[in-house]
Amino acid sequence: MARAIRPIPELYEAARAGERRALGRLLTKVERGGDEADRISELAHPDAGRAHIVGITGAPGAGKSTLVSRLVSDLVTGGKRPAVLAVDPSSPLTGGAILGDRIRIDEGNDPGEAPSSFIRSMATRGHSGGLALAVPLAVRLFDAVGYDPVIIETVGVGQVEVDVVGAADTAVVVMTPGMGDAVQANKAGLLEVADVFVVNKADRPGALDVRRDLDLMLDLSHMTGQESDTGYRPPIVMASALNGDGNDEVWAAVDAHLAHLDETGSRQARRQHRIRTEVRARLEQAMARAADDAMNAPDGATWLGQAERAEIAPTQATQHLLHVLLQPTKEVPS
Ligand SMILES: Nc1nc2c(ncn2[C@@H]2O[C@H](COP(=O)(O)OP(=O)(O)O)[C@@H](O)[C@H]2O)c(=O)[nH]1
Ligand SMILES: [Mg+2]
């Protein structure tokens, strides 16, 4: 029996009323991108803007999922409604899905129950640059339907992850002993984006060395970090996510950073930076699509053919193609 297809505004209202399945459907559309995703963005936009957006990154195996799952339980106990977006740029099958199942089981949520937390893993499914569009939109949706905080967990410490996490209100970088993590983090540019450092697996030998290395690097780089101009130095919190030690301190540091953002007015600056980054990513994607269209358009193909036969220089073909590309074909929506 075919199930009725619910229109997007109806799904959105259901998600706002707490229906998990409706939110899940919307997130699937967000992940797919395109017109439906744009529609969701426009619906969610007026209702969003309240949630504290927290990014968590660190090398695979650092204990991010363990930590996040603990934090989520604590937040729910404290009366919050956290959402987690586990971002994996490479694979559609991530630990995020496993984490989600684990937390759902822990909480005993059933589909009809008002959700106190929501965990979703997201992959690009082969679309490069897709995350740059899908992540901010998924975060906006979580925010709009009432989740706060919205936690973004990444799988690794590549450029994509650094970008994603660096765009959060609060960026948490998780390190562990014995992996040369402090040096790696420095290389990956994490010192610049981190607002809170967590040295996890503090139950293992070498944790204090990581702390010392980090401290030293922060000294040398003369307090880099996004808030350095406001005199903020990212704190280093020792934790053992596995047995829960230091988890309260981790969240206290995250909260303290948010308070700092609010005091200094930097939260608005972060929001603007995020919007700018999202608009740029959308523009770049639209331009890339337009470039392909221009090369396939009859006029464009003619110029391209001439360049291919070396009758004109590629630069000349490009100039002509730019004209084709910039032909106004679509009306600008009001
Ligand atoms: N000894 C120790 N192991 C931990 C701690 N936190 C996580 N782990 C273990 O480290 C492994 C990787 O954890 P996971 O949360 O999946 O890491 P992720 O890849 O960063 O998400 C798992 O086997 C965890 O049980 C900790 O504080 N101490
Ligand atoms: Mg994980």
Side-chain angles (χ1 to χ4, degrees), residues 31 86-95 121-126 155:
E31 202 170 16
V87 176
D88 186 342
S90 54
S91 157
L93 279 174
T94 72
S121 65
M122 180 172 276
T124 52
R125 310 205 191 283
V155 278

Side-chain angles (χ1 to χ4, degrees), residues 26-330:
L26 291 172
L27 285 163
T28 302
K29 293 178 190 296
V30 162
E31 202 170 16
R32 253 184 242 138
D35 290 345
E36 287 196 319
D38 289 356
R39 180 88 188 92
I40 294 166
S41 179
E42 281 142 31
L43 277 172
H45 166 73
D47 299 322
R50 274 180 286 266
H52 181 193
I53 302 168
V54 180
I56 298 191
T57 191
K64 296 179 295 297
S65 298
T66 311
L67 180 65
V68 166
S69 121
R70 291 254 181 202
L71 292 176
V72 164
S73 300
D74 292 349
L75 286 162
V76 168
T77 306
K80 298 269 191 183
R81 289 184 65 199
V84 179
L85 187 64
V87 176
D88 186 342
S90 54
S91 157
L93 279 174
T94 72
I98 296 161
L99 166 74
D101 293 344
R102 194 165 71 220
I103 289 182
R104 271 193 289 275
I105 289 162
D106 283 348
E107 286 176 2
N109 277 342
D110 69 61
E113 192 181 353
S116 48
S117 69
F118 199 102
I119 292 91
R120 173 81 178 203
S121 65
M122 180 172 276
T124 52
R125 310 205 191 283
H127 295 280
S128 69
L131 278 182
L133 271 52
V135 169
L137 183 40
V139 169
R140 180 170 306 125
L141 181 58
F142 277 133
D143 182 353
V145 304
Y147 288 95
D148 183 13
V150 179
I151 299 173
I152 310 168
E153 180 198 335
T154 68
V155 278
V157 286
Q159 193 54 52
V160 182
E161 287 91 342
V162 172
D163 289 348
V164 164
V165 168
D169 291 320
T170 302
V172 179
V173 175
V174 181
M175 316 247 183
T176 50
M179 290 165 73
D181 268 13
V183 178
Q184 289 303 325
N186 194 10
K187 279 192 201 147
L190 285 174
L191 290 189
E192 282 77 34
V193 298
D195 301 304
V196 173
F197 286 103
V198 174
V199 178
N200 191 37
K201 308 199 184 181
D203 51 291
R204 294 244 181 106
L208 288 172
D209 296 337
V210 179
R211 186 200 181 105
R212 192 203 49 222
D213 289 353
L214 256 178
D215 247 330
L216 212 62
M217 266 186 257
L218 286 173
D219 286 343
L220 288 175
S221 57
H222 197 258
M223 299 185 208
T224 49
Q226 299 187 73
E227 300 302 314
S228 55
D229 49 341
T230 58
Y232 179 88
R233 180 177 169 117
I236 304 169
V237 184
M238 310 298 283
S240 183
L242 201 55
N243 56 37
D245 288 345
N247 292 349
D248 290 351
E249 286 80 359
V250 171
W251 199 259
V254 167
D255 266 345
H257 176 258
L258 181 67
H260 173 82
L261 285 183
D262 283 334
E263 276 160 26
T264 55
S266 322
R267 195 174 183 185
Q268 186 57 19
R270 293 249 173 152
R271 192 169 291 154
Q272 286 169 355
H273 169 76
R274 262 201 304 277
I275 291 169
R276 217 186 154 77
T277 308
E278 183 182 351
V279 170
R280 167 164 286 280
R282 290 190 164 274
L283 265 180
E284 281 172 355
Q285 210 202 40
M287 294 303 280
R289 216 181 290 130
D292 284 335
D293 291 348
M295 296 206 295
N296 290 320
D299 281 4
T302 307
W303 295 116
L304 187 62
Q306 290 187 26
E308 282 171 346
R309 292 190 298 276
E311 293 161 13
I312 58 172
T315 43
Q316 289 169 299
T318 307
Q319 287 301 328
H320 289 297
L321 279 161
L322 262 179
H323 276 283
V324 176
L325 186 151
L326 294 173
Q327 295 295 333
T329 50
K330 253 196 201 168

